[in-house]
PDB file of all heavy atoms in Angstrom:
ATOM      1  N   MET A 548       3.950  -4.721  16.086  1.00  0.00           N
ATOM      2  CA  MET A 548       2.665  -4.387  16.713  1.00  0.00           C
ATOM      3  C   MET A 548       2.374  -2.900  16.552  1.00  0.00           C
ATOM      4  O   MET A 548       3.260  -2.068  16.690  1.00  0.00           O
ATOM      5  CB  MET A 548       2.713  -4.745  18.207  1.00  0.00           C
ATOM      6  CG  MET A 548       1.424  -4.457  18.957  1.00  0.00           C
ATOM      7  SD  MET A 548       1.570  -4.843  20.729  1.00  0.00           S
ATOM      8  CE  MET A 548       2.555  -3.433  21.282  1.00  0.00           C
ATOM      9  N   ASP A 567       9.622  -6.923   9.978  1.00  0.00           N
ATOM     10  CA  ASP A 567       9.865  -6.005  11.085  1.00  0.00           C
ATOM     11  C   ASP A 567       9.657  -4.556  10.648  1.00  0.00           C
ATOM     12  O   ASP A 567      10.122  -4.151   9.574  1.00  0.00           O
ATOM     13  CB  ASP A 567      11.290  -6.166  11.606  1.00  0.00           C
ATOM     14  CG  ASP A 567      11.483  -7.502  12.319  1.00  0.00           C
ATOM     15  OD1 ASP A 567      10.471  -8.160  12.637  1.00  0.00           O
ATOM     16  OD2 ASP A 567      12.651  -7.884  12.544  1.00  0.00           O
ATOM     17  N   TYR A 636     -10.810   7.525  -0.004  1.00  0.00           N
ATOM     18  CA  TYR A 636      -9.970   6.481  -0.603  1.00  0.00           C
ATOM     19  C   TYR A 636     -10.473   5.065  -0.298  1.00  0.00           C
ATOM     20  O   TYR A 636     -10.310   4.153  -1.121  1.00  0.00           O
ATOM     21  CB  TYR A 636      -8.529   6.601  -0.092  1.00  0.00           C
ATOM     22  CG  TYR A 636      -7.802   7.867  -0.528  1.00  0.00           C
ATOM     23  CD1 TYR A 636      -6.794   8.418   0.254  1.00  0.00           C
ATOM     24  CD2 TYR A 636      -8.117   8.499  -1.731  1.00  0.00           C
ATOM     25  CE1 TYR A 636      -6.101   9.573  -0.145  1.00  0.00           C
ATOM     26  CE2 TYR A 636      -7.442   9.648  -2.135  1.00  0.00           C
ATOM     27  CZ  TYR A 636      -6.441  10.174  -1.335  1.00  0.00           C
ATOM     28  OH  TYR A 636      -5.771  11.312  -1.737  1.00  0.00           O
ATOM     29  N   TYR A 776       6.181   8.481  20.104  1.00  0.00           N
ATOM     30  CA  TYR A 776       6.968   8.473  18.868  1.00  0.00           C
ATOM     31  C   TYR A 776       7.345   7.041  18.523  1.00  0.00           C
ATOM     32  O   TYR A 776       7.639   6.232  19.408  1.00  0.00           O
ATOM     33  CB  TYR A 776       8.226   9.324  19.032  1.00  0.00           C
ATOM     34  CG  TYR A 776       7.889  10.761  19.329  1.00  0.00           C
ATOM     35  CD1 TYR A 776       7.701  11.198  20.640  1.00  0.00           C
ATOM     36  CD2 TYR A 776       7.705  11.684  18.303  1.00  0.00           C
ATOM     37  CE1 TYR A 776       7.358  12.520  20.923  1.00  0.00           C
ATOM     38  CE2 TYR A 776       7.361  12.998  18.567  1.00  0.00           C
ATOM     39  CZ  TYR A 776       7.188  13.412  19.881  1.00  0.00           C
ATOM     40  OH  TYR A 776       6.841  14.711  20.149  1.00  0.00           O
ATOM     41  N   ASN A 778       9.709   4.152  16.565  1.00  0.00           N
ATOM     42  CA  ASN A 778      11.097   3.924  16.176  1.00  0.00           C
ATOM     43  C   ASN A 778      11.274   4.453  14.742  1.00  0.00           C
ATOM     44  O   ASN A 778      10.427   4.189  13.882  1.00  0.00           O
ATOM     45  CB  ASN A 778      11.381   2.423  16.228  1.00  0.00           C
ATOM     46  CG  ASN A 778      12.857   2.116  16.059  1.00  0.00           C
ATOM     47  OD1 ASN A 778      13.480   2.534  15.083  1.00  0.00           O
ATOM     48  ND2 ASN A 778      13.404   1.380  17.016  1.00  0.00           N
ATOM     49  N   HIS A 782       8.768   3.288   8.771  1.00  0.00           N
ATOM     50  CA  HIS A 782       8.627   4.303   7.711  1.00  0.00           C
ATOM     51  C   HIS A 782       7.296   5.035   7.815  1.00  0.00           C
ATOM     52  O   HIS A 782       7.215   6.240   7.595  1.00  0.00           O
ATOM     53  CB  HIS A 782       8.712   3.642   6.330  1.00  0.00           C
ATOM     54  CG  HIS A 782      10.055   3.047   6.016  1.00  0.00           C
ATOM     55  ND1 HIS A 782      11.229   3.678   6.329  1.00  0.00           N
ATOM     56  CD2 HIS A 782      10.407   1.877   5.426  1.00  0.00           C
ATOM     57  CE1 HIS A 782      12.252   2.933   5.930  1.00  0.00           C
ATOM     58  NE2 HIS A 782      11.775   1.828   5.391  1.00  0.00           N
ATOM     59  N   GLU A 785       7.228   8.128  10.227  1.00  0.00           N
ATOM     60  CA  GLU A 785       8.278   9.153  10.167  1.00  0.00           C
ATOM     61  C   GLU A 785       7.676  10.541  10.253  1.00  0.00           C
ATOM     62  O   GLU A 785       6.729  10.862   9.538  1.00  0.00           O
ATOM     63  CB  GLU A 785       9.027   9.059   8.837  1.00  0.00           C
ATOM     64  CG  GLU A 785      10.161   8.096   8.819  1.00  0.00           C
ATOM     65  CD  GLU A 785      10.808   8.061   7.448  1.00  0.00           C
ATOM     66  OE1 GLU A 785      11.110   9.137   6.911  1.00  0.00           O
ATOM     67  OE2 GLU A 785      10.962   6.947   6.906  1.00  0.00           O
ATOM     68  N   GLY A 786       8.237  11.364  11.130  1.00  0.00           N
ATOM     69  CA  GLY A 786       7.796  12.755  11.216  1.00  0.00           C
ATOM     70  C   GLY A 786       6.457  12.921  11.897  1.00  0.00           C
ATOM     71  O   GLY A 786       5.890  14.007  11.913  1.00  0.00           O
ATOM     72  N   ASN A 808      -7.016  17.060   6.702  1.00  0.00           N
ATOM     73  CA  ASN A 808      -5.892  17.338   5.797  1.00  0.00           C
ATOM     74  C   ASN A 808      -5.310  18.721   6.014  1.00  0.00           C
ATOM     75  O   ASN A 808      -4.228  19.021   5.532  1.00  0.00           O
ATOM     76  CB  ASN A 808      -6.343  17.223   4.332  1.00  0.00           C
ATOM     77  CG  ASN A 808      -6.490  15.768   3.913  1.00  0.00           C
ATOM     78  OD1 ASN A 808      -5.961  14.875   4.571  1.00  0.00           O
ATOM     79  ND2 ASN A 808      -7.231  15.548   2.845  1.00  0.00           N
ATOM     80  N   SER A 844      -4.247  25.484  -0.453  1.00  0.00           N
ATOM     81  CA  SER A 844      -3.352  25.768  -1.576  1.00  0.00           C
ATOM     82  C   SER A 844      -3.755  24.910  -2.768  1.00  0.00           C
ATOM     83  O   SER A 844      -4.126  23.747  -2.609  1.00  0.00           O
ATOM     84  CB  SER A 844      -1.909  25.446  -1.175  1.00  0.00           C
ATOM     85  OG  SER A 844      -1.098  25.324  -2.330  1.00  0.00           O
ATOM     86  N   LEU A 847       0.375  21.666  -6.079  1.00  0.00           N
ATOM     87  CA  LEU A 847       0.703  20.338  -5.571  1.00  0.00           C
ATOM     88  C   LEU A 847       2.025  20.362  -4.813  1.00  0.00           C
ATOM     89  O   LEU A 847       2.165  19.704  -3.783  1.00  0.00           O
ATOM     90  CB  LEU A 847       0.757  19.360  -6.739  1.00  0.00           C
ATOM     91  CG  LEU A 847       0.909  17.878  -6.442  1.00  0.00           C
ATOM     92  CD1 LEU A 847      -0.106  17.395  -5.421  1.00  0.00           C
ATOM     93  CD2 LEU A 847       0.776  17.072  -7.743  1.00  0.00           C
ATOM     94  N   TYR A 848       2.974  21.145  -5.318  1.00  0.00           N
ATOM     95  CA  TYR A 848       4.286  21.255  -4.674  1.00  0.00           C
ATOM     96  C   TYR A 848       4.673  22.721  -4.565  1.00  0.00           C
ATOM     97  O   TYR A 848       4.254  23.539  -5.378  1.00  0.00           O
ATOM     98  CB  TYR A 848       5.345  20.489  -5.480  1.00  0.00           C
ATOM     99  CG  TYR A 848       4.985  19.038  -5.670  1.00  0.00           C
ATOM    100  CD1 TYR A 848       4.590  18.563  -6.924  1.00  0.00           C
ATOM    101  CD2 TYR A 848       4.999  18.153  -4.603  1.00  0.00           C
ATOM    102  CE1 TYR A 848       4.232  17.231  -7.093  1.00  0.00           C
ATOM    103  CE2 TYR A 848       4.649  16.812  -4.766  1.00  0.00           C
ATOM    104  CZ  TYR A 848       4.264  16.364  -6.014  1.00  0.00           C
ATOM    105  OH  TYR A 848       3.904  15.057  -6.183  1.00  0.00           O
ATOM    106  N   SER A 849       5.472  23.034  -3.549  1.00  0.00           N
ATOM    107  CA  SER A 849       5.826  24.421  -3.322  1.00  0.00           C
ATOM    108  C   SER A 849       7.231  24.529  -2.734  1.00  0.00           C
ATOM    109  O   SER A 849       7.702  23.622  -2.045  1.00  0.00           O
ATOM    110  CB  SER A 849       4.820  25.052  -2.350  1.00  0.00           C
ATOM    111  OG  SER A 849       5.341  26.257  -1.831  1.00  0.00           O
ATOM    112  N   ARG A 852       7.310  25.958   2.937  1.00  0.00           N
ATOM    113  CA  ARG A 852       6.524  25.148   3.856  1.00  0.00           C
ATOM    114  C   ARG A 852       5.091  25.639   3.782  1.00  0.00           C
ATOM    115  O   ARG A 852       4.856  26.837   3.605  1.00  0.00           O
ATOM    116  CB  ARG A 852       7.014  25.328   5.294  1.00  0.00           C
ATOM    117  CG  ARG A 852       8.154  24.435   5.655  1.00  0.00           C
ATOM    118  CD  ARG A 852       8.245  24.242   7.166  1.00  0.00           C
ATOM    119  NE  ARG A 852       9.576  23.728   7.486  1.00  0.00           N
ATOM    120  CZ  ARG A 852      10.638  24.489   7.648  1.00  0.00           C
ATOM    121  NH1 ARG A 852      10.521  25.795   7.586  1.00  0.00           N
ATOM    122  NH2 ARG A 852      11.808  23.955   7.895  1.00  0.00           N
ATOM    123  N   LYS A 877      -7.181   9.921  12.073  1.00  0.00           N
ATOM    124  CA  LYS A 877      -5.734   9.693  12.146  1.00  0.00           C
ATOM    125  C   LYS A 877      -5.303   9.444  13.579  1.00  0.00           C
ATOM    126  O   LYS A 877      -5.703  10.200  14.474  1.00  0.00           O
ATOM    127  CB  LYS A 877      -4.955  10.913  11.634  1.00  0.00           C
ATOM    128  CG  LYS A 877      -5.018  11.166  10.155  1.00  0.00           C
ATOM    129  CD  LYS A 877      -4.154  12.383   9.804  1.00  0.00           C
ATOM    130  CE  LYS A 877      -4.236  12.672   8.313  1.00  0.00           C
ATOM    131  NZ  LYS A 877      -3.339  13.783   7.928  1.00  0.00           N
ATOM    132  N   TRP A 881       1.232  14.222  11.531  1.00  0.00           N
ATOM    133  CA  TRP A 881       2.375  15.081  11.267  1.00  0.00           C
ATOM    134  C   TRP A 881       2.595  16.041  12.450  1.00  0.00           C
ATOM    135  O   TRP A 881       1.719  16.803  12.803  1.00  0.00           O
ATOM    136  CB  TRP A 881       2.059  15.842  10.000  1.00  0.00           C
ATOM    137  CG  TRP A 881       3.051  16.815   9.515  1.00  0.00           C
ATOM    138  CD1 TRP A 881       4.278  17.123  10.027  1.00  0.00           C
ATOM    139  CD2 TRP A 881       2.882  17.648   8.364  1.00  0.00           C
ATOM    140  NE1 TRP A 881       4.881  18.069   9.263  1.00  0.00           N
ATOM    141  CE2 TRP A 881       4.061  18.420   8.239  1.00  0.00           C
ATOM    142  CE3 TRP A 881       1.875  17.810   7.425  1.00  0.00           C
ATOM    143  CZ2 TRP A 881       4.229  19.342   7.216  1.00  0.00           C
ATOM    144  CZ3 TRP A 881       2.047  18.727   6.412  1.00  0.00           C
ATOM    145  CH2 TRP A 881       3.221  19.491   6.309  1.00  0.00           C
ATOM    146  N   GLU A 882       3.783  15.990  13.040  1.00  0.00           N
ATOM    147  CA  GLU A 882       4.149  16.960  14.086  1.00  0.00           C
ATOM    148  C   GLU A 882       5.016  18.031  13.442  1.00  0.00           C
ATOM    149  O   GLU A 882       6.076  17.755  12.888  1.00  0.00           O
ATOM    150  CB  GLU A 882       4.916  16.268  15.208  1.00  0.00           C
ATOM    151  CG  GLU A 882       5.147  17.197  16.394  1.00  0.00           C
ATOM    152  CD  GLU A 882       6.054  16.593  17.441  1.00  0.00           C
ATOM    153  OE1 GLU A 882       6.940  15.808  17.082  1.00  0.00           O
ATOM    154  OE2 GLU A 882       5.864  16.902  18.628  1.00  0.00           O
TER     155      GLU A 882
ATOM    156  N   MET B 545       0.507  14.032  -9.987  1.00  0.00           N
ATOM    157  CA  MET B 545       1.868  13.857 -10.511  1.00  0.00           C
ATOM    158  C   MET B 545       2.880  13.865  -9.366  1.00  0.00           C
ATOM    159  O   MET B 545       2.767  14.649  -8.432  1.00  0.00           O
ATOM    160  CB  MET B 545       2.200  14.981 -11.492  1.00  0.00           C
ATOM    161  CG  MET B 545       3.582  14.899 -12.105  1.00  0.00           C
ATOM    162  SD  MET B 545       3.928  16.310 -13.217  1.00  0.00           S
ATOM    163  CE  MET B 545       4.233  17.598 -11.984  1.00  0.00           C
ATOM    164  N   ASP B 564      -7.161  11.971  -6.650  1.00  0.00           N
ATOM    165  CA  ASP B 564      -6.389  13.177  -6.363  1.00  0.00           C
ATOM    166  C   ASP B 564      -5.571  13.017  -5.088  1.00  0.00           C
ATOM    167  O   ASP B 564      -6.080  12.519  -4.072  1.00  0.00           O
ATOM    168  CB  ASP B 564      -7.327  14.377  -6.204  1.00  0.00           C
ATOM    169  CG  ASP B 564      -7.960  14.775  -7.533  1.00  0.00           C
ATOM    170  OD1 ASP B 564      -7.481  14.307  -8.590  1.00  0.00           O
ATOM    171  OD2 ASP B 564      -8.949  15.534  -7.503  1.00  0.00           O
ATOM    172  N   TYR B 633      12.231  -4.670   1.874  1.00  0.00           N
ATOM    173  CA  TYR B 633      10.796  -4.877   1.652  1.00  0.00           C
ATOM    174  C   TYR B 633      10.463  -5.221   0.197  1.00  0.00           C
ATOM    175  O   TYR B 633       9.519  -5.956  -0.073  1.00  0.00           O
ATOM    176  CB  TYR B 633      10.018  -3.617   2.051  1.00  0.00           C
ATOM    177  CG  TYR B 633      10.039  -3.293   3.536  1.00  0.00           C
ATOM    178  CD1 TYR B 633       9.910  -1.979   3.984  1.00  0.00           C
ATOM    179  CD2 TYR B 633      10.176  -4.298   4.501  1.00  0.00           C
ATOM    180  CE1 TYR B 633       9.919  -1.674   5.340  1.00  0.00           C
ATOM    181  CE2 TYR B 633      10.193  -3.997   5.852  1.00  0.00           C
ATOM    182  CZ  TYR B 633      10.062  -2.689   6.264  1.00  0.00           C
ATOM    183  OH  TYR B 633      10.070  -2.384   7.613  1.00  0.00           O
ATOM    184  N   TYR B 773       7.990  21.220  -0.638  1.00  0.00           N
ATOM    185  CA  TYR B 773       6.953  20.695   0.244  1.00  0.00           C
ATOM    186  C   TYR B 773       5.732  20.340  -0.574  1.00  0.00           C
ATOM    187  O   TYR B 773       5.383  21.040  -1.525  1.00  0.00           O
ATOM    188  CB  TYR B 773       6.593  21.729   1.309  1.00  0.00           C
ATOM    189  CG  TYR B 773       7.768  22.073   2.185  1.00  0.00           C
ATOM    190  CD1 TYR B 773       8.651  23.090   1.818  1.00  0.00           C
ATOM    191  CD2 TYR B 773       8.035  21.337   3.336  1.00  0.00           C
ATOM    192  CE1 TYR B 773       9.760  23.381   2.592  1.00  0.00           C
ATOM    193  CE2 TYR B 773       9.146  21.632   4.120  1.00  0.00           C
ATOM    194  CZ  TYR B 773      10.001  22.657   3.741  1.00  0.00           C
ATOM    195  OH  TYR B 773      11.102  22.930   4.516  1.00  0.00           O
ATOM    196  N   ASN B 775       1.598  19.559  -1.049  1.00  0.00           N
ATOM    197  CA  ASN B 775       0.317  19.992  -0.513  1.00  0.00           C
ATOM    198  C   ASN B 775      -0.045  19.074   0.661  1.00  0.00           C
ATOM    199  O   ASN B 775       0.098  17.855   0.550  1.00  0.00           O
ATOM    200  CB  ASN B 775      -0.735  19.894  -1.626  1.00  0.00           C
ATOM    201  CG  ASN B 775      -2.042  20.539  -1.229  1.00  0.00           C
ATOM    202  OD1 ASN B 775      -2.609  20.211  -0.192  1.00  0.00           O
ATOM    203  ND2 ASN B 775      -2.522  21.453  -2.054  1.00  0.00           N
ATOM    204  N   HIS B 779      -1.138  12.654   1.690  1.00  0.00           N
ATOM    205  CA  HIS B 779      -0.852  11.939   2.942  1.00  0.00           C
ATOM    206  C   HIS B 779       0.578  11.413   2.975  1.00  0.00           C
ATOM    207  O   HIS B 779       1.249  11.440   3.998  1.00  0.00           O
ATOM    208  CB  HIS B 779      -1.812  10.759   3.109  1.00  0.00           C
ATOM    209  CG  HIS B 779      -3.247  11.150   3.300  1.00  0.00           C
ATOM    210  ND1 HIS B 779      -3.623  12.216   4.075  1.00  0.00           N
ATOM    211  CD2 HIS B 779      -4.388  10.614   2.808  1.00  0.00           C
ATOM    212  CE1 HIS B 779      -4.947  12.314   4.060  1.00  0.00           C
ATOM    213  NE2 HIS B 779      -5.437  11.368   3.286  1.00  0.00           N
ATOM    214  N   GLU B 782       3.313  13.941   4.233  1.00  0.00           N
ATOM    215  CA  GLU B 782       3.112  14.715   5.464  1.00  0.00           C
ATOM    216  C   GLU B 782       4.384  14.722   6.301  1.00  0.00           C
ATOM    217  O   GLU B 782       4.977  13.674   6.552  1.00  0.00           O
ATOM    218  CB  GLU B 782       2.021  14.070   6.314  1.00  0.00           C
ATOM    219  CG  GLU B 782       0.627  14.511   5.971  1.00  0.00           C
ATOM    220  CD  GLU B 782      -0.370  13.789   6.856  1.00  0.00           C
ATOM    221  OE1 GLU B 782      -0.176  13.751   8.079  1.00  0.00           O
ATOM    222  OE2 GLU B 782      -1.319  13.219   6.291  1.00  0.00           O
ATOM    223  N   GLY B 783       4.783  15.913   6.724  1.00  0.00           N
ATOM    224  CA  GLY B 783       5.932  16.022   7.624  1.00  0.00           C
ATOM    225  C   GLY B 783       7.260  15.821   6.918  1.00  0.00           C
ATOM    226  O   GLY B 783       8.297  15.745   7.563  1.00  0.00           O
ATOM    227  N   ASN B 805      17.473   4.816   7.606  1.00  0.00           N
ATOM    228  CA  ASN B 805      16.468   4.811   8.674  1.00  0.00           C
ATOM    229  C   ASN B 805      16.923   5.610   9.886  1.00  0.00           C
ATOM    230  O   ASN B 805      16.124   5.926  10.760  1.00  0.00           O
ATOM    231  CB  ASN B 805      16.169   3.368   9.119  1.00  0.00           C
ATOM    232  CG  ASN B 805      15.294   2.643   8.117  1.00  0.00           C
ATOM    233  OD1 ASN B 805      14.640   3.267   7.291  1.00  0.00           O
ATOM    234  ND2 ASN B 805      15.303   1.325   8.193  1.00  0.00           N
ATOM    235  N   SER B 841      17.594   2.492  18.792  1.00  0.00           N
ATOM    236  CA  SER B 841      16.679   2.172  19.891  1.00  0.00           C
ATOM    237  C   SER B 841      16.037   0.811  19.639  1.00  0.00           C
ATOM    238  O   SER B 841      15.714   0.480  18.501  1.00  0.00           O
ATOM    239  CB  SER B 841      15.583   3.244  19.977  1.00  0.00           C
ATOM    240  OG  SER B 841      14.497   2.758  20.742  1.00  0.00           O
ATOM    241  N   LEU B 844       9.910  -0.119  20.198  1.00  0.00           N
ATOM    242  CA  LEU B 844       9.110   0.203  19.015  1.00  0.00           C
ATOM    243  C   LEU B 844       8.450   1.574  19.175  1.00  0.00           C
ATOM    244  O   LEU B 844       8.344   2.326  18.217  1.00  0.00           O
ATOM    245  CB  LEU B 844       8.063  -0.901  18.824  1.00  0.00           C
ATOM    246  CG  LEU B 844       7.214  -0.883  17.555  1.00  0.00           C
ATOM    247  CD1 LEU B 844       8.073  -0.759  16.309  1.00  0.00           C
ATOM    248  CD2 LEU B 844       6.368  -2.156  17.494  1.00  0.00           C
ATOM    249  N   TYR B 845       8.029   1.889  20.406  1.00  0.00           N
ATOM    250  CA  TYR B 845       7.378   3.178  20.670  1.00  0.00           C
ATOM    251  C   TYR B 845       7.973   3.792  21.927  1.00  0.00           C
ATOM    252  O   TYR B 845       8.431   3.072  22.815  1.00  0.00           O
ATOM    253  CB  TYR B 845       5.866   2.989  20.849  1.00  0.00           C
ATOM    254  CG  TYR B 845       5.217   2.324  19.650  1.00  0.00           C
ATOM    255  CD1 TYR B 845       4.762   1.014  19.729  1.00  0.00           C
ATOM    256  CD2 TYR B 845       5.104   2.991  18.434  1.00  0.00           C
ATOM    257  CE1 TYR B 845       4.186   0.385  18.623  1.00  0.00           C
ATOM    258  CE2 TYR B 845       4.540   2.375  17.330  1.00  0.00           C
ATOM    259  CZ  TYR B 845       4.081   1.076  17.432  1.00  0.00           C
ATOM    260  OH  TYR B 845       3.527   0.455  16.336  1.00  0.00           O
ATOM    261  N   SER B 846       7.961   5.126  21.975  1.00  0.00           N
ATOM    262  CA  SER B 846       8.586   5.803  23.111  1.00  0.00           C
ATOM    263  C   SER B 846       7.836   7.086  23.445  1.00  0.00           C
ATOM    264  O   SER B 846       7.233   7.712  22.574  1.00  0.00           O
ATOM    265  CB  SER B 846      10.039   6.132  22.764  1.00  0.00           C
ATOM    266  OG  SER B 846      10.541   7.100  23.666  1.00  0.00           O
ATOM    267  N   ARG B 849      10.734  11.916  21.888  1.00  0.00           N
ATOM    268  CA  ARG B 849      11.180  12.021  20.511  1.00  0.00           C
ATOM    269  C   ARG B 849      12.481  11.247  20.384  1.00  0.00           C
ATOM    270  O   ARG B 849      13.280  11.239  21.319  1.00  0.00           O
ATOM    271  CB  ARG B 849      11.462  13.488  20.140  1.00  0.00           C
ATOM    272  CG  ARG B 849      10.265  14.245  19.695  1.00  0.00           C
ATOM    273  CD  ARG B 849      10.659  15.453  18.860  1.00  0.00           C
ATOM    274  NE  ARG B 849       9.501  16.352  18.781  1.00  0.00           N
ATOM    275  CZ  ARG B 849       9.219  17.257  19.695  1.00  0.00           C
ATOM    276  NH1 ARG B 849      10.016  17.428  20.720  1.00  0.00           N
ATOM    277  NH2 ARG B 849       8.139  18.003  19.579  1.00  0.00           N
ATOM    278  N   LYS B 874      15.500   7.488  -0.690  1.00  0.00           N
ATOM    279  CA  LYS B 874      14.348   8.330  -0.361  1.00  0.00           C
ATOM    280  C   LYS B 874      14.440   9.665  -1.070  1.00  0.00           C
ATOM    281  O   LYS B 874      15.489  10.296  -1.053  1.00  0.00           O
ATOM    282  CB  LYS B 874      14.306   8.626   1.154  1.00  0.00           C
ATOM    283  CG  LYS B 874      13.927   7.470   2.043  1.00  0.00           C
ATOM    284  CD  LYS B 874      13.862   7.934   3.496  1.00  0.00           C
ATOM    285  CE  LYS B 874      13.543   6.762   4.416  1.00  0.00           C
ATOM    286  NZ  LYS B 874      13.375   7.204   5.824  1.00  0.00           N
ATOM    287  N   TRP B 878      11.674  12.782   6.161  1.00  0.00           N
ATOM    288  CA  TRP B 878      11.234  13.405   7.394  1.00  0.00           C
ATOM    289  C   TRP B 878      12.058  14.665   7.671  1.00  0.00           C
ATOM    290  O   TRP B 878      13.270  14.607   7.768  1.00  0.00           O
ATOM    291  CB  TRP B 878      11.418  12.373   8.485  1.00  0.00           C
ATOM    292  CG  TRP B 878      11.064  12.761   9.868  1.00  0.00           C
ATOM    293  CD1 TRP B 878      10.516  13.922  10.315  1.00  0.00           C
ATOM    294  CD2 TRP B 878      11.240  11.923  11.017  1.00  0.00           C
ATOM    295  NE1 TRP B 878      10.325  13.862  11.669  1.00  0.00           N
ATOM    296  CE2 TRP B 878      10.770  12.660  12.129  1.00  0.00           C
ATOM    297  CE3 TRP B 878      11.734  10.642  11.219  1.00  0.00           C
ATOM    298  CZ2 TRP B 878      10.799  12.143  13.411  1.00  0.00           C
ATOM    299  CZ3 TRP B 878      11.756  10.131  12.495  1.00  0.00           C
ATOM    300  CH2 TRP B 878      11.287  10.876  13.577  1.00  0.00           C
ATOM    301  N   GLU B 879      11.395  15.811   7.791  1.00  0.00           N
ATOM    302  CA  GLU B 879      12.075  17.047   8.186  1.00  0.00           C
ATOM    303  C   GLU B 879      11.821  17.268   9.675  1.00  0.00           C
ATOM    304  O   GLU B 879      10.678  17.378  10.113  1.00  0.00           O
ATOM    305  CB  GLU B 879      11.535  18.228   7.380  1.00  0.00           C
ATOM    306  CG  GLU B 879      12.342  19.504   7.639  1.00  0.00           C
ATOM    307  CD  GLU B 879      11.732  20.720   6.983  1.00  0.00           C
ATOM    308  OE1 GLU B 879      10.492  20.781   6.869  1.00  0.00           O
ATOM    309  OE2 GLU B 879      12.491  21.624   6.594  1.00  0.00           O
TER     310      GLU B 879
END
Side-chain angles (χ1 to χ4, degrees):
Chain A
M548 181 182 75
D567 290 346
Y636 294 152
Y776 299 88
N778 189 305
H782 294 318
E785 273 179 49
N808 284 342
S844 162
L847 188 51
Y848 303 108
S849 164
R852 275 202 197 84
K877 289 182 181 184
W881 179 2
E882 188 187 31
Chain B
M545 180 182 76
D564 290 346
Y633 293 152
Y773 299 88
N775 190 306
H779 294 320
E782 273 179 49
N805 284 342
S841 163
L844 187 51
Y845 303 108
S846 163
R849 275 202 196 85
K874 288 183 183 184
W878 179 4
E879 187 187 32

